[in-house]
Amino acid sequence: MKKSPPWLIALVLVAGLGIIAGGWWLAERRTRENDAVAKVQAVLAGFQQGLPREYAPGLMLERVAFEGPALVMTIRSLSRSVPEAGDASQVARAEKALMLPLCDYPDVVFLLSRGVVLKRRFVDSQDRVFFEVTLAAADCRR
């Protein structure tokens, strides 16, 4: 029986170690992804807890759900409609300032670090949008 050259044995060992390391890496990656999905679901459940609930006088936080990469909080005006509201840009700027403290919450930072943006969408009784305010990771770096 002919003896295998030493380089062939070394090559087989290195290939075997590579396969084992690759399998371990994939298993770890899968575990991290599953953990991240579970964390996102837990954060979503926290935002949804107690809905619907009063957001402010005359406003009701009705729904929190993902729409693509955005976690959208739908806030309904109980008394105003879009046609009578006029320009909402000043209110939108004030609402944006109210969103910035969310950057201090680890769950929000977790979402933002994964490319999720938070949106507050203000609507009237017919689901017409007054305005939307977005919080992205870049807003928290200021």
Side-chain angles (χ1 to χ4, degrees), residues 109-127:
V109 172
F110 173 82
L111 291 175
L112 296 175
S113 70
R114 279 152 182 77
V116 173
V117 295
L118 301 182
K119 282 187 183 182
R120 287 186 180 160
R121 179 179 297 146
F122 291 79
V123 299
D124 68 7
S125 60
Q126 278 96 38
D127 290 324

Side-chain angles (χ1 to χ4, degrees), residues 10-104:
L11 181 65
V12 169
L13 285 173
V14 168
L17 289 174
I19 291 169
I20 291 169
W24 174 81
W25 179 81
L26 285 174
E28 284 296 311
R29 182 174 172 207
R30 222 175 280 126
T31 299
R32 283 192 307 272
E33 287 173 357
N34 289 341
D35 290 347
V37 168
K39 173 102 174 167
V40 167
Q41 292 302 323
V43 171
L44 177 60
F47 277 117
Q48 292 173 331
Q49 192 171 0
L51 293 182
R53 67 177 176 262
E54 185 178 42
Y55 177 76
L59 297 173
M60 185 69 63
L61 176 57
E62 288 189 341
R63 178 177 181 264
V64 178
F66 278 100
E67 293 180 11
L71 181 62
V72 180
M73 302 168 192
T74 304
I75 302 166
R76 185 170 308 282
S77 172
L78 302 175
S79 59
R80 303 190 88 192
S81 66
V82 168
E84 67 187 34
D87 182 24
S89 61
Q90 215 172 14
V91 177
R93 281 192 298 278
E95 187 62 34
K96 178 72 171 207
L98 290 173
M99 286 184 80
L100 290 176
L102 291 174
C103 297
D104 296 333

